[in-house]
Amino acid sequence: MEISQTRDVFTPTKPARIAFVERDSVNNKLVNSLTTPGKQIVVYGHSGTGKTTLLANKLTQLYERHITTRCMKGLKFEQLLLDAFDQLSPFYTLEKQAVIKTSSGVDIGASYNAIQANISLNSATDKSEKHTRLLPPQLTAQALGRFLGAQQACWVLEDFHKIDETEKAQLSQLMKVFMDLSDEYPELKIIALGAVDTARQVVDYDHEMRNRVAEVHVALMTEAEIASIILKGESALNVQFNPEIKRLVVRHSNGLASVCHHLCLNMCNAAGLTETAGGAPVILTQEHCEHAIKTYVDEASDSIKSAFDKALKVRRKTQYENASLILEAVSALAEGGAARTDIYNRIRRAETKYPEANLKYLLPKLCTLEYGGILRYDSNSGLYSFSDPIYRAYALAQFQKRSTPSSANSQSDFEQTLLRLLTAKINSDTGSEIKITINRITTKRQ
Ligand SMILES: Nc1ncnc2c1ncn2[C@@H]1O[C@H](COP(=O)(O)OP(=O)(O)O)[C@@H](O)[C@H]1O
Ligand SMILES: [Mg+2]
């Protein structure tokens, strides 16, 4: 049996490889687009649905090589080009001898090295302290396309939605250039990934490019897909989760594979398992599960709290505790999400005069990172839900303190453990919060 490390099988924070599960709903479309010369690709869908992982696995299966540029807010388009150019450097310095020529007879390696020399020359004479690198005029979109194409590489732009609108427009132009070069370099293409609702929010390309850009939507994982992750993990590590635990982990992951990876990894850790078990399979029990949830809550609690702080922060004086009311309503409704009208009706049960405008205003905001990104909106179903199941549990625990826990008996062991641990956490945190508030007041008076 092949020995694997548990952390390489259950991968909550990196792309899954060993426990990678094929995504049947998008696989064909993505593979076809990847193998169609000149086809540019936009992969989109909520954060955590598995875009990066899917692409990483497909590229390993299908592509000679690819380079990846991670996008950040404020990054200029020129820096993107330079980053791609830099990443090609090992291929051109290693293969100096092998002369690659374009159809018109230009030596690509030589022109790569010429531009590289030009860049280092510019940076060397740059006396300002900040090391700004200028894009040399020779490094055109065309030139970059040839450098990539000659290495049979495609270019992946991770989190392209973070780039400013003004810079984004240039990508559409670049895609056009790459399409035109595909005759000569069939592998050349750009794959832009974005955690957004529509492909157009990633790249707003021209109408005429419509048929040459594939839009691949990666949805949340289905329960069957999540269950397959556990199965793959079981066989890679020679472990067995009790069926009840499996069912709970699947249900509570709520479409997010990272939650499943996290809980399974924690359970292995609780059992002291760091790699594939030798001999008889290791059985993972309820006790390991409870331990795993505790670790999960401990690890997540800081980021949960900071997300809720952002959501609940009072930004202007209003009659209602809007964010609280909304989150409480969403937590009381179905786990899979609720439409705005359902949320509205739910709030009105307690606050009969609650203005709908408040909800209309704040609900989309609660999906943004500025407000903690606690909720997400699915444009296909029209439903709002918690973006991570642990947020829902936290909201339930938080708001349960106010209301009577009437539905407690319908909750599973998992939920009860989660709620119990989160409630304990909240209570201990509230203690420290009060102290902070008192401190502030005292300082004000002085
Ligand atoms: N097809 C898959 N099979 C197994 N695990 C997956 C799969 N897709 C994603 N994951 C896991 O889910 C988490 C989030 O995936 P990621 O690719 O980073 O999502 P995204 O890029 O959409 O935000 C990671 O922990 C990853 O290992
Ligand atoms: Mg990603």
Side-chain angles (χ1 to χ4, degrees):
M1 187 191 295
E2 204 172 312
I3 306 288
S4 308
Q5 301 292 305
T6 44
R7 60 162 187 272
D8 294 331
V9 175
F10 292 124
T11 51
T13 52
K14 62 177 184 184
R17 297 279 184 182
I18 299 171
F20 170 71
V21 171
E22 293 286 348
R23 309 292 302 273
D24 292 336
S25 56
V26 284
N27 192 55
N28 283 349
K29 185 166 186 182
L30 182 59
V31 169
N32 284 340
S33 320
L34 280 171
T35 48
T36 306
K39 194 75 138 181
Q40 310 299 304
I41 306 177
V42 176
V43 180
Y44 69 101
H46 287 294
S47 168
T49 55
K51 301 176 292 297
T52 304
T53 305
L54 175 63
L55 195 66
N57 281 277
K58 289 294 139 188
L59 287 177
T60 328
Q61 290 168 10
L62 299 167
Y63 251 79
E64 187 72 22
R65 51 177 69 120
H66 62 272
I67 60 167
T68 303
T69 299
R70 277 182 186 66
C71 301
M72 285 158 299
K73 207 168 147 51
L75 198 67
K76 293 279 175 246
F77 190 73
E78 293 195 347
Q79 302 308 122
L80 284 181
L81 295 182
L82 271 173
D83 183 68
F85 180 81
D86 287 344
Q87 289 195 48
L88 286 168
S89 161
F91 307 123
Y92 283 102
T93 34
L94 282 176
E95 296 174 15
K96 257 182 187 157
Q97 315 88 316
V99 176
I100 315 164
K101 292 212 164 129
T102 65
S103 52
S104 48
V106 179
D107 178 347
I108 295 205
S111 55
Y112 184 93
N113 289 315
I115 295 181
Q116 198 172 42
N118 196 334
I119 295 178
S120 17
L121 200 73
N122 274 343
S123 326
T125 49
D126 186 1
K127 288 200 187 82
S128 67
E129 285 204 10
K130 235 170 91 198
H131 206 75
T132 45
R133 299 168 71 229
L134 298 175
L135 189 74
Q138 303 95 312
L139 186 53
T140 56
Q142 197 101 15
L144 181 66
R146 289 187 190 286
F147 295 141
L148 283 161
Q151 298 297 338
Q152 293 163 5
C154 65
W155 185 19
V156 179
L157 291 166
E158 276 274 359
D159 292 332
F160 192 74
H161 64 280
K162 291 183 181 162
I163 298 285
D164 293 340
E165 289 303 323
T166 48
E167 306 295 307
K168 270 188 186 174
Q170 302 189 52
L171 184 72
S172 160
Q173 294 309 310
L174 188 64
M175 281 185 161
K176 224 183 245 172
V177 172
F178 278 31
M179 284 173 196
D180 294 339
L181 282 171
S182 68
D183 217 10
E184 199 169 341
Y185 305 106
E187 288 89 1
L188 180 64
K189 65 176 76 234
I190 291 176
I191 306 162
L193 278 70
V196 279
D197 251 353
T198 66
R200 289 300 172 99
Q201 287 171 279
V202 187
V203 192
D204 196 8
Y205 49 84
D206 298 352
H207 188 74
E208 56 179 290
M209 289 161 70
R210 208 183 29 176
N211 292 326
R212 306 177 69 183
V213 178
E215 302 184 348
V216 180
H217 177 238
V218 180
L220 288 164
M221 290 182 100
T222 63
E223 295 204 344
E225 285 169 338
I226 303 258
S228 307
I229 297 178
I230 307 183
L231 285 181
K232 293 211 162 181
E234 283 185 320
S235 80
L237 294 169
N238 189 27
V239 297
Q240 274 171 18
F241 295 94
N242 120 10
E244 174 72 359
I245 296 179
K246 273 197 244 186
R247 211 178 49 75
L248 291 172
V249 171
V250 168
R251 201 163 79 75
H252 281 274
S253 296
N254 203 16
L256 285 183
S258 66
V259 177
C260 170
H261 284 283
H262 233 129
L263 289 169
C264 291
L265 182 63
N266 289 355
M267 277 188 258
C268 292
N269 287 341
L273 193 77
T274 55
E275 59 179 34
T276 308
V282 166
I283 310 290
L284 294 166
T285 64
Q286 205 73 37
E287 207 178 306
H288 298 128
C289 185
E290 175 142 348
H291 212 281
I293 299 169
K294 186 175 175 342
T295 318
Y296 179 62
V297 170
D298 283 346
E299 282 172 1
S301 74
D302 283 347
S303 61
I304 304 175
K305 245 190 72 55
S306 110
F308 272 79
D309 283 349
K310 284 182 193 156
L312 300 175
K313 185 171 143 192
V314 180
R315 289 171 171 83
R316 51 179 188 181
K317 277 255 163 287
T318 48
Q319 188 185 348
Y320 295 97
E321 287 181 41
N322 291 295
S324 272
L325 286 172
I326 295 173
L327 293 176
E328 179 167 10
V330 179
S331 73
L333 294 163
E335 209 175 332
R340 200 182 69 207
T341 46
D342 299 329
I343 302 170
Y344 180 58
N345 290 335
R346 178 78 200 190
I347 298 176
R348 295 256 290 205
R349 279 209 221 165
E351 296 287 351
T352 48
K353 297 213 180 77
Y354 190 72
E356 193 167 11
N358 288 20
L359 179 66
K360 259 191 189 163
Y361 172 79
L362 196 57
L363 198 50
K365 293 239 185 266
L366 289 170
C367 301
T368 64
L369 284 182
E370 194 199 336
Y371 284 69
I374 291 179
L375 298 183
R376 70 176 169 223
Y377 175 67
D378 180 32
S379 55
N380 293 316
S381 62
L383 301 181
Y384 289 89
S385 61
F386 285 93
S387 61
D388 188 306
I390 205 164
Y391 289 152
R392 179 170 188 269
Y394 189 86
L396 279 170
Q398 178 107 323
F399 300 124
Q400 222 175 43
K401 292 195 297 182
R402 305 183 184 177
S403 56
T404 44
S406 56
S407 60
N409 48 359
S410 68
Q411 277 155 0
S412 64
D413 283 355
F414 180 98
E415 258 171 333
Q416 288 197 1
T417 313
L418 197 56
L419 289 179
R420 182 166 49 75
L421 291 167
L422 281 168
T423 313
K425 256 265 149 13
I426 293 168
N427 288 338
S428 67
D429 288 347
T430 322
S432 60
E433 235 167 47
I434 289 169
K435 269 179 234 139
I436 295 166
T437 326
I438 293 170
N439 272 341
R440 276 207 202 113
I441 294 169
T442 353
T443 354
K444 250 190 192 167
R445 280 194 187 142
Q446 282 167 350

